[in-house]
Amino acid sequence: MPLIEDRDYRFNAFRIWLRENTRLGERPIGDVISRVKRVERALPEMIGGSNLDAEYVRDGLSCVLEALTYSIEDAHNRRRPPTGIAFRMATDNPRYYDRIREGLSCLHTAVERYRDFCDAINPR
């Protein structure tokens, strides 16, 4: 897959793909794109990556998806979120770790959609 250097072009192509290949409305599409951008901004701290396209070429986004995986058990054990992903909530809030799980699940799903987009434009 040739890396697309222009982020705006890349995310615009992703937006068009989501419109044409999912049943998502404009607001949920915007949410998915926002979440993918959030993950991409966190990549240097999270896994030492530079952008999602490079991670897709390297391992099909497996490392990114693994870093975003957070189970109910992780919440019960109060595992910290991945480095680089911040949550705006006090750590003493009783739902803090449940909110981490919910938030990471949304980010994970958004990255899966981005992987589907990459697979569609770059058949293996």
Side-chain angles (χ1 to χ4, degrees):
M1 170 179 167
L3 298 179
I4 302 171
E5 297 298 325
D6 183 343
R7 286 184 81 221
D8 292 334
Y9 177 81
R10 181 166 34 112
F11 290 122
N12 189 49
F14 183 39
R15 179 181 302 277
I16 292 167
W17 184 86
L18 287 168
R19 277 188 200 130
E20 294 175 353
N21 295 282
T22 69
R23 293 182 173 189
L24 296 175
E26 284 304 312
R27 176 170 246 148
I29 286 173
D31 291 343
V32 168
I33 291 170
S34 176
R35 289 173 182 138
V36 167
K37 287 179 178 180
R38 180 178 177 196
V39 170
E40 187 165 83
R41 284 190 305 271
L43 282 179
E45 288 183 69
M46 195 167 74
I47 62 168
S50 60
N51 67 55
L52 289 171
D53 289 343
E55 294 305 314
Y56 176 78
V57 169
R58 189 168 67 82
D59 68 0
L61 297 172
S62 294
C63 284
V64 176
L65 292 167
E66 183 178 326
L68 294 172
T69 300
Y70 196 90
S71 68
I72 292 172
E73 184 176 308
D74 291 331
H76 288 296
N77 291 329
R78 299 175 179 253
R79 183 172 74 94
R80 304 298 271 160
T83 305
I85 303 286
F87 291 88
R88 294 181 190 159
M89 180 179 254
T91 56
D92 62 349
N93 184 309
R95 288 204 15 90
Y96 178 73
Y97 293 97
D98 290 328
R99 295 292 302 266
I100 289 173
R101 187 177 59 80
E102 293 162 5
L104 289 176
S105 176
C106 291
L107 296 174
H108 190 279
T109 298
V111 172
E112 286 178 324
R113 288 185 187 270
Y114 192 78
R115 182 187 58 199
D116 294 344
F117 161 71
C118 291
D119 287 346
I121 64 171
N122 299 291
R124 293 182 184 220

